[in-house]
Amino acid sequence: MTALLLGALGLLLSLVAPGLLAAARWPDRAPAPAVVLWQAITLAGVLCALGVVLAGPEELIRAFRGDRQIAIVALIAALAVAAVIVLRLLISLGGVMWRSRARRARHRLLVDLLDRAEQRHGLDVEGLRVLDGAQPLAYCVAGRSPRVVLSGGALDVLNATQIAAVIAHEQAHLRHRHELVRESFTAFYQAVPRPLRSRAPLDAVRLLLEMVADDAAARRSGAASVRGALTLLSDGGDEAGGAGRDRRLSRLTDPPPRSVALSVIVLVGAVALLVLPTLVVVVPWLSVAVSNWPL
């Protein structure tokens, strides 16, 4: 029964919950807690998969009264499959982080080489780099030595408050290490088998992180400045895509009411998603399984 319950919960978290949460609009009111909820859903899905692998063989052996030798083989097989799941996730995460860091290092070197310091117009921002180009672009390069990159075209079309808003937006990404969140969701997406894979968490989290940075910039420079800058900048570096850009503009034009209660409920729900299945399903099974497994 434990394996069935965990399997059903895992399928619900992998196939049903992502679509429902991605289609919801309440995360616009609490983007940061919504990111935490996405992380809890992802982690809970992994824990459910591990629970099924470990609980299933034990429950089958107990139901059919298998002997000790069969139980030993089943235990070794279950542990091996669980190790494969964890190893696959770790390898995927390590690969994504390695490639991302190498790509950022090359990019950082390029922007340092191509920087046009004379075009900064007196902007005194640590790590700021200005590149030639008529297309109005702004983005950041994360890492131990981060960079905020603006194109000459961006400086031409934005006014002073909009430039400050753009810089504040990119600095929020760097300050909160949003690249680590994106890398973890990318690694999970690549590690999950195709039948269970969904882009909804990855795309939704990217958009929510942009909203978090928008809010940080709005607190410093005002929502109108952020909205104006977002309208004028090219969407070439916008990871949220066209539809996400429209949602960002909409919430900056008509900011949704913020609710502390909503944020608390979402955070409590994220914690409950990880804790309750463990207390209600896993702990009772463990109390029985420990006496049956050949430990």
Side-chain angles (χ1 to χ4, degrees):
M1 180 62 72
T2 298
L4 289 176
L5 290 175
L6 290 176
L9 179 59
L11 290 175
L12 182 68
L13 294 174
S14 300
L15 302 178
V16 180
L20 295 176
L21 185 54
R25 288 296 178 264
W26 65 259
D28 293 10
R29 300 170 57 190
V35 172
V36 175
L37 180 59
W38 274 114
Q39 291 174 315
I41 290 173
T42 302
L43 181 56
V46 173
L47 294 177
C48 284
L50 294 174
V52 170
V53 168
L54 295 174
E58 186 277 330
E59 290 185 324
L60 287 174
I61 290 171
R62 179 155 34 100
F64 293 101
R65 302 181 184 277
D67 60 25
R68 179 178 176 82
Q69 189 172 12
I70 295 177
I72 292 174
V73 174
L75 173 60
I76 294 174
L79 292 175
V81 174
V84 168
I85 293 174
V86 174
L87 189 61
R88 181 181 176 91
L89 287 169
L90 292 177
I91 290 174
S92 179
L93 180 60
V96 169
M97 294 180 70
W98 176 269
R99 291 189 297 271
S100 296
R101 277 152 180 71
R103 184 171 59 251
R104 287 197 295 265
R106 291 193 299 269
H107 199 136
R108 189 179 304 111
L109 177 61
L110 285 174
V111 298
D112 286 348
L113 290 172
L114 299 174
D115 179 37
R116 300 299 300 270
E118 71 277 5
Q119 296 185 17
R120 292 182 193 173
H121 304 301
L123 292 172
D124 185 17
V125 178
E126 184 178 0
L128 178 65
R129 298 294 183 266
V130 177
L131 304 182
D132 268 335
Q135 189 176 22
L137 290 173
Y139 60 92
C140 61
V141 182
R144 291 184 178 180
S145 182
R147 302 287 187 268
V148 174
V149 183
L150 300 177
S151 68
L155 295 178
D156 291 337
V157 300
L158 301 177
N159 61 35
T161 57
Q162 290 169 343
I163 292 173
V166 168
I167 292 174
H169 175 101
E170 302 303 335
Q171 287 176 331
H173 282 313
L174 298 172
R175 184 169 59 253
H176 298 300
R177 302 303 302 272
H178 287 170
E179 79 280 1
L180 298 180
V181 180
R182 288 192 291 265
E183 287 171 3
S184 65
F185 277 91
T186 300
F188 177 78
Y189 173 78
Q190 294 179 358
V192 171
R194 288 186 182 276
L196 300 177
R197 186 181 293 178
S198 170
R199 281 198 62 89
L202 183 59
D203 294 337
V205 166
R206 283 175 173 173
L207 174 57
L208 290 170
L209 292 177
E210 293 300 326
M211 291 181 179
V212 171
D214 286 342
D215 291 343
R219 287 192 293 270
R220 183 177 298 184
S221 303
S225 296
V226 181
R227 183 179 65 251
L230 184 58
T231 302
L232 293 171
L233 289 175
S234 168
D235 61 359
D238 190 351
E239 295 190 14
R245 186 186 182 89
D246 292 339
R247 272 180 68 178
R248 292 170 60 195
L249 287 170
S250 176
R251 72 189 294 272
L252 288 168
T253 302
D254 185 18
R258 304 299 170 86
S259 171
V260 175
L262 176 62
S263 297
V264 171
I265 290 172
V266 173
L267 293 175
V268 170
V271 174
L273 190 58
L274 295 173
V275 173
L276 289 183
T278 302
L279 294 178
V280 176
V281 179
V282 177
V283 171
W285 166 74
L286 276 176
S287 64
V288 177
V290 167
S291 62
N292 289 290
W293 276 119
L295 300 174

